[in-house]
Amino acid sequence: KAGVTQTPRYLIKTRGQQVTLSCSPISGHRSVSWYQQTPGQGLQFLFEYFSETQRNKGNFPGRFSGRQFSNSRSEMNVSTLELGDSALYLCASRLTESSYNEQFFGPGTRLTVL
Amino acid sequence: GNSVTQMEGPVTLSEEAFLTINCTYTATGYPSLFWYVQYPGEGLQLLLKATKADDKGSNKGFEATYRKETTSFHLEKGSVQVSDSAVYFCALSGETSGSRLTFGEGTQLTVNP
């Protein structure tokens, strides 16, 4: 069974631009979560989607948004990029939204903002 | 709110040495506890988990016991290998936080031959 895939793997943008990252969960998984990983702040939860609905949201500004499609694939968007948005963005999928289900992480998208 | 504190790193050991990485947590109720490992250039992999007090999670020679009385979930391995070199994250999923994971700072482990 294929794992969680994220595209693109690397991205370079400039301040003020916007970016869209994509995540394809493991087949059959309906929950997708997004995390931001930076050296300074560590791993922080962005949001979770289940059945196309946002179920949980972390403490990030409104510039960070996401959505989930009917096939469970998810995208996250960051508008008006800032230097501090440079990070590794990780996507994780799980079978359902139950906290007892293991979350499987993708390799991440490395975003660099210049 | 929920929080996880890991021992300060990095940790450098010789092959076959004993490993302990300390992890303590703050959470209401009875969270589920996890250890994740991240190898260079990769995402996170679940190493082991425990969902209730006194549970012991184990995998690939690593162990951790959910200690409610000390709010701890320390990771141990009796004999580390060079291939264990990675960053280790302690995490929790709280009763009131739904599915979101709260992570510790991560501990870089380097094992020398």
Side-chain angles (χ1 to χ4, degrees):
Chain A
K1 182 185 278 191
V4 178
T5 58
Q6 293 188 244
T7 56
R9 291 293 310 277
Y10 302 92
L11 207 47
I12 299 176
K13 292 286 186 180
T14 57
R15 279 180 299 174
Q17 288 187 307
Q18 76 166 20
V19 67
T20 299
L21 312 181
S22 180
C23 171
S24 292
I26 292 172
S27 178
H29 285 196
R30 298 172 61 195
S31 169
V32 173
S33 296
W34 289 89
Y35 293 83
Q36 181 196 64
Q37 185 177 21
T38 61
Q41 300 298 316
L43 280 152
Q44 294 186 289
F45 173 80
L46 280 155
F47 27 64
E48 180 186 21
Y49 287 86
F50 178 77
S51 294
E52 302 177 66
T53 302
Q54 188 179 90
R55 295 305 181 99
N56 216 339
K57 189 176 189 307
N59 296 324
F60 279 82
R63 299 186 297 107
F64 292 81
S65 63
R67 59 177 176 169
Q68 186 180 33
F69 302 95
S70 57
N71 61 358
S72 294
R73 189 177 70 85
S74 177
E75 290 181 346
M76 68 164 281
N77 184 278
V78 187
S79 62
T80 319
L81 284 167
E82 301 177 359
L83 295 179
D85 297 332
S86 294
L88 180 67
Y89 290 88
L90 293 166
C91 165
S93 78
R94 68 168 82 205
L95 194 60
T96 70
E97 59 185 337
S98 167
S99 61
Y100 292 103
N101 292 152
E102 177 181 347
Q103 292 198 49
F104 294 84
F105 283 82
T109 293
R110 172 75 62 185
L111 171 65
T112 302
V113 181
L114 302 177
Chain B
N2 298 334
S3 67
V4 176
T5 302
Q6 286 182 237
M7 66 183 291
E8 293 183 11
V11 175
T12 302
L13 297 172
S14 298
E15 207 165 21
E16 299 184 3
F18 184 85
L19 168 71
T20 299
I21 301 178
N22 290 337
C23 171
T24 57
Y25 68 88
T26 301
T28 54
Y30 298 88
S32 295
L33 302 174
F34 308 86
W35 276 100
Y36 281 86
V37 59
Q38 186 174 35
Y39 297 100
E42 298 184 13
L44 301 174
Q45 297 176 27
L46 179 64
L47 184 58
L48 52 85
K49 68 178 181 182
T51 58
K52 62 182 187 296
D54 299 324
D55 264 3
K56 177 186 283 188
S58 61
N59 185 27
K60 300 180 182 179
F62 291 90
E63 293 184 339
T65 301
Y66 188 144
R67 300 289 187 197
K68 181 73 174 171
E69 64 277 12
T70 55
T71 61
S72 65
F73 193 55
H74 305 321
L75 182 68
E76 296 182 335
K77 187 175 185 182
S79 176
V80 293
Q81 306 300 312
V82 172
S83 57
D84 293 328
S85 298
V87 181
Y88 292 81
F89 293 91
C90 184
L92 70 81
S93 176
E95 279 189 327
T96 57
S97 60
S99 57
R100 80 167 68 181
L101 290 168
T102 299
F103 288 90
E105 307 88 342
T107 300
Q108 173 74 58
L109 170 65
T110 302
V111 180
N112 295 319

